[in-house]
Amino acid sequence: MRNLITSLFLLLLFNSLAAQSRQKPINERVDSVLAQMTLDEKIGQMTLFTTDWGSTGPTIRPGYREDIMQGRCGALFNAHGVTFTRELQRIAVEESRLKIPLLFGYDVIHGFKTIFPIPLAEAASWDTEAVKASAEVAADEASAAGLHWTFAPMVDITRDPRWGRIMEGAGEDPFLASVVAAQRVKGFQGEATFDEPNHILACVKHFAAYGAPFGGRDYNTVDMSERMFREVYLPPYQAAIEAGARTVMTAFNELNGVPATSNKWLLTDLLRHELRFKGMVVTDYTSINELVEHGVAADEKHASELAVMAGSDMDMQSAAYHRFLKGLVEEGKVPIERVDEAARRVLRLKFELGLFEDPYRFCDEQREKEVILSDRNRSIARDVARKSIVLLRNEGVLPLPKETKKLAVLGPLAADKDNLIGFWSAAGEGRHCVSLVEGIRNKLGENVELLTAKGCEITGDDKSGFARAVEMARQADAVVVAIGESREMSGEAASKVDISLPGVQEDLVKALMETGKPLVVVLMNGRPLTIPWLGENAPALLETWWLGTEAGNAIADVLFGDYNPSGKLPVSFPRHVGQIPVFYSHKPTGRPYQPNDKWRSQYLDESNEPLFPFGYGLSYTTFEIGSPKPDKTSFRSGEVVKVQVKVTNTGNREGEEVVQLYIRDKVASVTRPVKELKAFQKVSLKPGESKDLRFTLFEKDFAFLDQNLEWTIEPGEFEIKVGNSSDNVKAVVVERVE
Ligand code: BGC
């Protein structure tokens, strides 16, 4: 009876406090809730568990319903859909003591149900509005399915295509990746006022440098200079934080000897003090437990202490805070202020989302029905998908005539749907995808006869299907052959030492080419592949990545010229795996390559150059990019340099070109890359049309870290290089004077 009276009293007190405080600033409201909480309840807010539904790793905790009721977890992931989230939220706000609403997270990486191109592909669009639109639709659908929080964007730079998670980022370059990171955050979060329940919290991950594991092996050690870290790997995280990302996820890897999840320098000194991040830090999946395997924690209790004191606010799935944090506070190893700080950050997010006012704000069945997989969303997905395609080669084959009467559509991925959604495809389903065969049929209707066969599987050495495929090619006017990777070949825990085309797919192309028919190779894959033979011999080669739900329609748009391809590679394609890392913004070395001189930085058995460089991509029209014209030949501190560039469509089709601006600091006190991207613009031009593009270079664009790791700009000459690929530029020199 006494318990009942106490509970009733607490309930009334809480409700009246919540009601009174509705008008108060969020900080005060957070504090008033915190003041009611027991230590256990605070630790509950610092705990994130997965449901047993669609987990992305080992589910170590059944019984999450009881956890919610007891206030043992303040957030859940891998639960979505209004019915399910409403039921879980009901347990939290009706059956737990303090009725604090739950936060629902999920990996909404490139779409929720309407799946967009994989993030690497979207980066290939170099279309900042398209990237943002994709995140907006993802947020709209996810929020309509009861979700509040996505574990995206992943902004890890990588220069290693062996690493399967390359598909999830924006490629090799800090500038492009930073622009993309900021756009994704804005798309997910909108204005971040959450006035309407159609945006969700973003989570920048994985902090930090997860994309540089030794050997490209996922979860492996990362060790790099602070210069490299700050100049190349850090900028996209910073850009996402500046764009307002509310949460940050730690990384699995160690960085220079200290695992990210227990790295105080990363999570507190850098993130809080230097980057001024105000939001909440969540760990990656069981990464607190993994501190024991890393060898920095004696046991999971010790791991909890290290993680929380370093700055990890919320424990994803380790159940380590749940089990050990109370003891650590009682023993004086973790100050209660640290727990309060972390719990406060979580509560703040819930207030910002409006969940204290209405815990079911994101649970609207009607909206869920209307928004998810809507025609509008599919048409945006189609637009983003076609913009993400990169034309790598075209010997006059593309675009194919729409009058084609007989078309062979071959290859293991020609009629496939399941692989097109790619890895990390949230609630996406292959059955909603438009296959390539369907896309072509949608485009050409019944006027075309389609001959389709796989020819071979993605993997294995069975060539018994070749003869039938070759026969179809012989009968057809033209051949489209879709080959590549299956979706689980790239993504998390999908590192590879051999990144050539799997199985006998390349042999299939060779056999088909012997027919002499016009042939288009359509690549569907999650990472750069080593395909030198195709890169030099395919009559036409389209990189379509994994384009998502509308893949087939988008590819058909490009094949038949309804969309003129405009994508550019966000990452170099190596010729050979032994060249890795191969990237455009390398340093010069003391012995730069020169033909016919052995004693140079080079390989005996392979060129230094990638097969296709960063920034490369063809169009069905041609563009002439003039020499860059700076507004001054010398500039001083505080001055900007304006650069004008004329771009002309010299072909006979309308098209878009990505004009890229790079700089090189010719002489500096530390070595500088041979080129660094500093700006780009994507411009659409009619045949014969010209535009004058204007770029503005600010002081920061000329800056670098000096020998003391201080940002500096040194006097001297800088080359400004402009072109339509990192290997095709025109240069002009400007001088920085004292
Ligand atoms: C991944 C994260 C992901 C998390 C939750 C981990 O394995 O590294 O990126 O957000 O699982 O699914």
Side-chain angles (χ1 to χ4, degrees):
M1 189 64 183
R2 255 222 345 252
N3 280 349
L4 185 68
I5 292 172
T6 318
S7 308
L8 273 175
F9 172 74
L10 278 172
L11 182 71
L12 286 173
L13 178 71
F14 177 72
N15 281 347
S16 79
L17 276 176
Q20 280 168 31
S21 64
R22 212 147 281 163
Q23 304 311 321
K24 292 188 182 157
I26 285 188
N27 282 348
E28 285 178 33
R29 299 162 76 189
V30 167
D31 282 342
S32 72
V33 176
L34 198 74
Q36 311 304 313
M37 294 171 76
T38 63
L39 178 55
D40 284 320
E41 284 163 338
K42 291 175 186 173
I43 295 168
Q45 291 304 305
M46 297 167 67
T47 297
L48 168 64
F49 286 139
T50 181
T51 69
D52 46 12
W53 183 18
S55 79
T56 48
T59 300
I60 57 172
R61 232 189 130 70
Y64 53 86
R65 284 167 193 269
E66 187 63 21
D67 287 334
I68 302 170
M69 219 183 287
Q70 300 304 328
R72 288 197 288 254
C73 68
L76 278 171
F77 68 119
N78 292 325
H80 55 82
V82 167
T83 311
F84 192 38
T85 53
R86 180 186 281 279
E87 167 56 11
L88 298 173
Q89 193 68 296
R90 191 199 60 74
I91 303 173
V93 300
E94 288 183 16
E95 297 181 29
S96 75
R97 191 182 78 96
L98 283 182
K99 314 196 169 331
I100 299 176
L102 288 166
L103 191 65
F104 291 106
Y106 195 39
D107 289 283
V108 182
I109 308 293
H110 53 112
F112 172 72
K113 188 69 111 177
T114 304
I115 300 302
F116 280 71
I118 55 167
L120 185 66
E122 283 186 4
S125 74
W126 294 56
D127 186 319
T128 55
E129 287 310 311
V131 168
K132 186 166 163 218
S134 160
E136 261 162 9
V137 171
D140 200 22
E141 291 198 356
S143 60
L147 293 166
H148 311 129
W149 182 27
T150 176
F151 303 141
M154 187 199 96
V155 305
D156 302 313
I157 294 281
T158 189
R159 293 168 166 190
D160 196 331
R162 292 172 299 182
W163 190 54
R165 294 194 86 165
I166 192 168
M167 55 130 312
E168 210 182 326
E172 74 183 41
D173 182 66
F175 181 81
L176 178 62
S178 297
V179 172
V180 168
Q183 288 299 91
R184 291 205 165 119
V185 169
K186 289 178 195 158
F188 287 132
Q189 293 191 164
E191 297 300 316
T193 53
F194 305 105
D195 295 337
E196 297 292 325
N198 57 0
H199 286 96
I200 52 179
L201 304 168
C203 182
V204 193
K205 69 187 189 185
H206 307 81
F207 199 65
Y210 178 42
F214 285 167
R217 206 179 71 210
D218 208 1
Y219 318 126
N220 204 5
T221 308
V222 177
D223 200 314
M224 67 169 67
S225 70
E226 190 171 338
R227 170 185 313 286
M228 170 83 95
F229 176 66
R230 286 184 176 274
E231 289 188 353
V232 178
Y233 287 81
L234 185 59
Y237 306 107
Q238 186 167 359
I241 289 164
E242 282 167 8
R246 289 292 195 271
T247 73
V248 167
M249 187 185 293
T250 68
F252 285 127
N253 55 284
E254 69 155 85
L255 177 62
N256 302 336
V258 185
T261 300
S262 64
N263 195 319
K264 183 166 173 302
W265 177 76
L266 266 183
L267 302 183
T268 300
D269 302 350
L270 179 63
L271 185 62
R272 299 282 172 193
H273 301 152
E274 215 180 300
L275 304 184
R276 305 196 170 283
F277 175 65
K278 300 270 184 292
M280 189 271 287
V281 173
V282 62
T283 71
D284 203 348
Y285 203 110
T286 61
S287 67
I288 299 182
N289 300 342
E290 291 169 26
L291 296 175
V292 177
E293 292 290 353
H294 272 290
V296 294
D299 52 30
E300 291 180 1
K301 183 173 179 187
H302 185 201
S304 308
E305 180 186 343
L306 293 177
V308 76
M309 293 313 293
S312 292
D313 296 319
M314 185 186 272
D315 165 3
M316 184 197 288
Q317 195 60 9
S318 285
Y321 288 177
H322 165 69
R323 284 175 293 154
F324 305 113
L325 198 46
K326 188 175 187 185
L328 288 164
V329 173
E330 287 166 354
E331 288 161 32
K333 291 188 170 145
V334 173
I336 185 68
E337 291 74 22
R338 173 68 192 107
V339 171
D340 285 350
E341 176 184 64
R344 203 177 259 127
R345 288 175 182 149
V346 179
L347 292 172
R348 189 180 169 86
L349 295 174
K350 296 180 177 182
F351 272 108
E352 286 192 65
L353 288 164
L355 296 177
F356 277 93
E357 279 81 6
D358 178 4
Y360 303 111
R361 275 187 93 206
F362 293 73
C363 295
D364 176 345
E365 281 86 357
Q366 191 55 30
R367 216 186 124 225
E368 185 177 39
K369 278 197 208 98
E370 284 166 16
V371 167
I372 291 175
L373 271 177
S374 67
D375 290 348
R376 174 183 174 271
N377 291 357
R378 291 191 76 127
S379 92
I380 299 173
R382 178 174 181 162
D383 185 50
V384 177
R386 56 195 206 167
K387 288 176 169 158
S388 304
I389 295 173
V390 185
L391 178 62
L392 295 174
R393 235 179 110 77
N394 188 15
E395 302 296 294
V397 176
L398 285 171
L400 295 171
K402 283 194 185 154
E403 300 69 41
T404 306
K405 285 279 164 275
K406 232 185 211 189
L407 186 68
V409 190
L410 307 169
L413 287 159
D416 180 272
K417 289 165 172 271
D418 291 336
N419 290 298
L420 301 186
I421 54 177
F423 199 76
W424 285 124
S425 45
E429 294 173 73
R431 69 192 171 98
H432 294 130
C433 260
V434 180
S435 72
L436 177 57
V437 171
E438 288 171 342
I440 294 174
R441 175 65 72 204
N442 292 344
K443 170 116 358 225
L444 300 185
E446 296 306 320
N447 299 334
V448 67
E449 187 183 342
L450 298 182
L451 308 172
T452 70
K454 279 186 166 182
C456 64
E457 299 298 329
I458 294 172
T459 53
D461 54 8
D462 183 4
K463 296 186 179 179
S464 60
F466 277 26
R468 183 154 173 260
V470 168
E471 187 43 40
M472 287 178 172
R474 278 211 187 92
Q475 290 170 23
D477 306 324
V479 181
V480 176
V481 51
I483 53 177
E485 292 186 305
S486 57
R487 62 194 284 262
E488 71 286 353
M489 287 181 183
S490 288
E492 186 175 349
S495 296
K496 294 185 79 186
V497 296
D498 178 358
I499 55 168
S500 61
L501 267 173
V504 291
Q505 299 181 95
E506 193 167 286
D507 292 339
L508 174 66
V509 176
K510 287 178 180 164
L512 296 171
M513 271 172 62
E514 277 170 24
T515 64
K517 293 293 167 83
L519 181 140
V520 184
V521 177
V522 174
L523 292 170
M524 299 177 174
N525 50 295
R527 54 152 65 82
L529 298 171
T530 48
I531 42 167
W533 187 86
L534 282 178
E536 281 154 12
N537 296 284
L541 186 60
L542 274 182
E543 177 54 85
T544 74
W545 320 97
W546 290 317
L547 289 180
T549 310
E550 286 290 321
N553 286 333
I555 300 169
D557 285 342
V558 167
L559 287 176
F560 297 96
D562 284 340
Y563 183 76
N564 186 352
S566 63
K568 302 277 178 178
L569 294 179
V571 62
S572 308
F573 274 42
R575 300 179 59 83
H576 191 285
V577 76
Q579 295 175 305
I580 295 170
V582 57
F583 53 95
Y584 84 93
S585 63
H586 58 83
K587 300 285 189 73
T589 85
R591 294 189 174 192
Y593 172 75
Q594 268 182 19
N596 308 319
D597 183 352
K598 176 172 183 200
W599 309 101
R600 293 275 159 176
S601 180
Q602 64 179 324
Y603 300 104
L604 290 179
D605 54 352
E606 185 51 274
S607 125
N608 286 1
E609 299 307 314
L611 178 63
F612 298 113
F614 175 84
Y616 169 85
L618 303 171
S619 162
Y620 295 156
T621 186
T622 48
F623 296 93
E624 168 76 24
I625 298 178
S627 294
K629 294 202 170 52
D631 67 341
K632 44 181 88 68
T633 50
S634 63
F635 65 106
R636 289 171 196 284
S637 169
E639 288 183 337
V640 298
V641 179
K642 294 190 174 159
V643 182
Q644 196 168 323
V645 183
K646 184 176 194 149
V647 50
T648 308
N649 182 342
T650 50
N652 47 22
R653 260 175 194 271
E654 185 169 356
E656 290 157 277
E657 181 58 297
V658 179
V659 180
Q660 305 157 36
L661 186 150
Y662 300 85
I663 68 157
R664 179 178 183 174
D665 191 338
K666 288 178 74 182
V667 180
S669 54
V670 299
T671 60
R672 301 304 305 151
V674 296
K675 268 180 211 115
E676 291 176 272
L677 184 70
K678 293 294 173 184
F680 63 86
Q681 288 183 40
K682 190 166 189 173
V683 54
S684 175
L685 293 170
K686 301 212 158 38
E689 194 188 356
S690 291
K691 273 188 190 156
D692 283 317
L693 305 185
R694 282 168 230 285
F695 295 92
T696 304
L697 292 171
F698 297 91
E699 289 226 290
K700 65 173 174 37
D701 296 317
F702 298 95
F704 64 91
L705 291 174
D706 68 12
Q707 293 187 22
N708 300 316
L709 296 181
E710 306 281 350
W711 287 101
T712 187
I713 309 170
E714 290 176 352
E717 290 185 341
F718 289 84
E719 279 177 337
I720 297 176
K721 311 179 189 207
V722 177
N724 63 358
S725 165
S726 64
D727 73 340
N728 181 28
V729 290
K730 290 178 183 153
V732 65
V733 173
V734 293
E735 191 177 356
R736 158 87 181 199
V737 288
E738 293 278 18

